[in-house]
Amino acid sequence: MKEIAIEEIEGFRIGHAESLEAATGCTVILCEQGAVGGVDVRGGAPGTRETDLLASENLVEEVHGVFLTGGSAFGLDVGGGVMKFLEEQGVGFDVEVARVPIVTGAVLFDLGIGSANVRPDEKMGYEAAQRALMQQDDREGSVGAGTGATVGKILGKESSMKGGLGTFAFQVGELKVGAVVAVNSFGDILDDETGEILAGVYDVEHQSFLRTDSILLTHESGKENTNRFSGNTTIGTVVTNASLTKANANKIASMAHDGFARTTRPSHSMVDGDTLFTLSTNEVDADLNVVGHLAAYVVQKAIRNGVKKATGIDGVRSYSEL
């Protein structure tokens, strides 16, 4: 087993676009030749596009692009820009009179910092897709969909910390599995090896962490402070070269959510829209148990990287600043 750069998984290209001033952005994963796709939505407040077509019983087998974006439901406009770019490249599902790019995606809520009036749109989606094709973008942290991401928001912005966009990939023999995750959780982010909090609800006065789960359990006021519009949702995509059916891809997306549970406390809450996609180029025969195990592992490592590599923005402190 060895760690690899996510760019080493052939068939996928990643691009980011963002507005640092508005503290928002989007990330696009392109697979121009088509990739078997799956999805699993665990959070109680999701914002998604075209996830129904990934159901195992439905017609379309291949996906040409996935977007992860800020902007809440407004950010779904990003999908139009990705479709426009792919159509210009002649990429899509052949319906005889046109090629229809199959583009799915998910949004996170980042309107609480920066400018709530500026959101990722069709233009930003087009730009991110264009960058993905022109040059692999290996940036992490406060970029793309992670630009305005924050974590630990039960007591409001003043006590929250910066989330971010993280990647991680692993190779076992010829099998390659990687993840791209935008970390924007209601809960705290824990180190998956030590259990220590990396970022979350932070007490500035005492320079210490306040645990979100403890606040929920010990303070009746916690329910009042749990504002569903305070800005949540962790979203991501697992990419692999494993041979998968669409049903397999959906199962791998489900198994990959273990990476959320190992690093985010609480995870999959009613105020998160936690969503994970799976994309496969369908090239290497592999044990699905191994693929699922690695999918969860790369997700938890991508979450760690997203938080550790984030930089502060709009007064929200980051891991690196502590």
Side-chain angles (χ1 to χ4, degrees):
M1 293 196 308
K2 65 175 182 178
E3 180 182 345
I4 61 173
I6 198 165
E7 295 81 10
E8 295 180 55
I9 306 179
E10 297 84 1
F12 303 102
R13 301 190 68 84
I14 301 170
H16 310 294
E18 62 276 319
S19 167
L20 293 177
E21 182 178 357
T24 192
C26 66
T27 296
V28 172
I29 302 100
L30 298 185
C31 31
E32 301 161 88
Q33 302 305 313
V36 176
V39 68
D40 193 308
V41 181
R42 294 288 180 92
T48 59
R49 168 187 164 126
E50 297 278 38
T51 50
D52 283 352
L53 64 78
L54 298 180
S56 302
E57 69 273 15
N58 288 339
L59 173 65
V60 173
E61 290 287 338
E62 294 187 333
V63 175
H64 303 106
V66 171
F67 65 87
L68 312 172
T69 182
S72 189
F74 298 107
L76 291 172
D77 286 346
V78 163
V82 181
M83 281 192 72
K84 180 180 180 182
F85 178 79
L86 289 174
E87 184 183 24
E88 292 176 357
Q89 309 307 309
V91 174
F93 183 73
D94 189 357
V95 294
E96 296 186 358
V97 295
R99 286 189 173 272
V100 181
I102 305 301
V103 176
T104 186
V107 302
L108 56 79
F109 193 114
D110 59 1
L111 304 182
I113 68 173
S115 173
N117 297 320
V118 178
R119 306 110 181 195
D121 53 13
E122 181 176 328
K123 180 180 179 182
M124 189 177 285
Y126 186 97
E127 180 182 346
Q130 190 175 44
R131 288 181 177 178
L133 188 62
M134 293 175 59
Q135 181 179 357
Q136 284 279 23
D137 194 338
D138 60 359
R139 293 178 297 155
E140 295 178 86
S142 299
V143 301
T147 303
T150 51
V151 303
K153 287 161 280 194
I154 191 170
L155 298 182
K157 175 184 173 181
E158 294 74 16
S159 300
S160 67
M161 286 185 62
K162 193 70 183 64
L165 190 285
T167 67
F168 192 87
F170 229 78
Q171 180 173 356
V172 180
E174 295 184 353
L175 173 65
K176 299 177 182 180
V177 183
V180 183
V181 183
V183 187
N184 187 63
S185 62
F186 168 69
D188 307 319
I189 302 301
L190 279 60
D191 187 297
D192 59 302
E193 296 179 359
T194 67
E196 296 178 342
I197 298 178
L198 297 176
V201 189
Y202 190 71
D203 186 333
V204 178
E205 181 180 354
H206 297 95
Q207 297 186 358
S208 62
F209 287 106
L210 305 173
R211 301 183 68 96
T212 297
D213 51 2
S214 296
I215 296 171
L216 283 172
L217 292 172
T218 60
H219 296 282
E220 291 184 359
S221 61
K223 183 179 294 185
E224 298 169 6
N225 289 329
T226 305
N227 179 356
R228 70 181 62 203
F229 301 115
S230 62
N232 308 306
T233 296
T234 297
I235 52 180
T237 303
V238 172
V239 295
T240 180
N241 62 358
S243 293
L244 302 177
T245 65
K246 190 155 68 161
N248 294 155
N250 281 310
K251 182 60 178 176
I252 296 302
S254 174
M255 297 171 75
H257 271 278
D258 285 353
F260 282 18
R262 295 169 188 166
T263 56
T264 309
R265 191 164 300 168
S267 60
H268 307 130
S269 76
M270 290 301 293
V271 292
D272 285 295
D274 298 342
T275 300
L276 275 175
F277 297 92
T278 296
L279 296 174
S280 172
T281 53
N282 211 22
E283 297 173 337
V284 176
D285 290 333
D287 185 331
L288 290 179
N289 295 298
V290 174
V291 179
H293 172 69
L294 285 177
Y297 182 75
V298 296
V299 164
Q300 73 192 49
K301 293 299 184 183
I303 288 173
R304 178 202 63 183
N305 286 347
V307 167
K308 283 193 169 183
K309 296 182 180 182
T311 53
I313 191 171
D314 193 28
V316 179
R317 65 191 59 80
S318 66
Y319 169 87
S320 60
E321 291 172 311
L322 297 186

